[in-house]
């Protein structure tokens, strides 16, 4: 089992930046992929950014060029650097560890609120 703890959320004005962290309870170096997802009130959860074991990244079109996902295997931590934040980025951001088609783990999330 993998426990994930997110941090770094908060209230920020439009145009500002935040860096989210996701600390895993186990080594992430062999995990197939790590990702960040978000869910706003009344909306479905969506993938924000994902990084594979080999370092391949992919992003939701709405955050391309503004957000960057990275992983530090030595610290068992995944980061999401968010720049040029917009009010529509307001959501609860949750970390995901994708071990296989069957085994996927989620953190509790961290709230990001962007004021206009």
């Amino acid at each position: 089992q993998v426990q994930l703890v997110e941090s770094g959320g908060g209230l920020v004005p439009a145009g500002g930046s935040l860096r989210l962290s996701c600390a895993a309870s186990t080594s992430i170096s062999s995990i197939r992929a790590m990702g960040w997802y978000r869910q706003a009130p009344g909306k479905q959860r969506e993938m924000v950014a994902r990084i594979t074991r080999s370092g391949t990244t992919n992003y939701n079109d709405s955050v391309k060029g503004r957000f960057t996902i990275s992983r530090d295997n030595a610290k068992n931590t995944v980061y999401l650097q968010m720049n040029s934040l917009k009010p529509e980025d307001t959501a609860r951001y949750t970390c995901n560890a994708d071990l296989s088609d069957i085994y996927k783990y989620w953190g509790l999330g961290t709230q990001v609120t962007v004021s206009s």
Side-chain angles (χ1 to χ4, degrees), residues 58-72:
N58 59 296
Y59 295 91
N60 186 301
D61 285 346
S62 67
V63 307
K64 283 181 180 178
R66 300 188 297 123
F67 291 12
T68 302
I69 188 171
S70 61
R71 59 195 292 167
D72 185 335

Side-chain angles (χ1 to χ4, degrees), residues 1-7 20-25 28 31 33-39 45 76 78 92-99 103-111:
Q1 189 170 3
V2 180
Q3 294 180 329
L4 304 170
V5 179
E6 302 94 336
S7 62
L20 305 184
S21 299
C22 170
S25 62
I28 66 170
I31 292 179
M34 299 290 296
W36 285 97
Y37 290 71
R38 68 185 180 188
Q39 186 169 20
R45 184 169 62 192
N76 297 326
V78 177
R92 189 162 190 83
Y93 286 70
T94 305
C95 183
N96 166 264
D98 181 5
L99 276 67
Y103 294 102
K104 303 177 189 297
Y105 297 94
W106 298 88
L108 296 178
T110 184
Q111 179 66 34

Side-chain angles (χ1 to χ4, degrees), residues 80-91:
L80 183 67
Q81 178 66 44
M82 306 186 294
N83 299 327
S84 303
L85 282 161
K86 304 175 181 180
E88 50 264 44
D89 294 319
T90 295

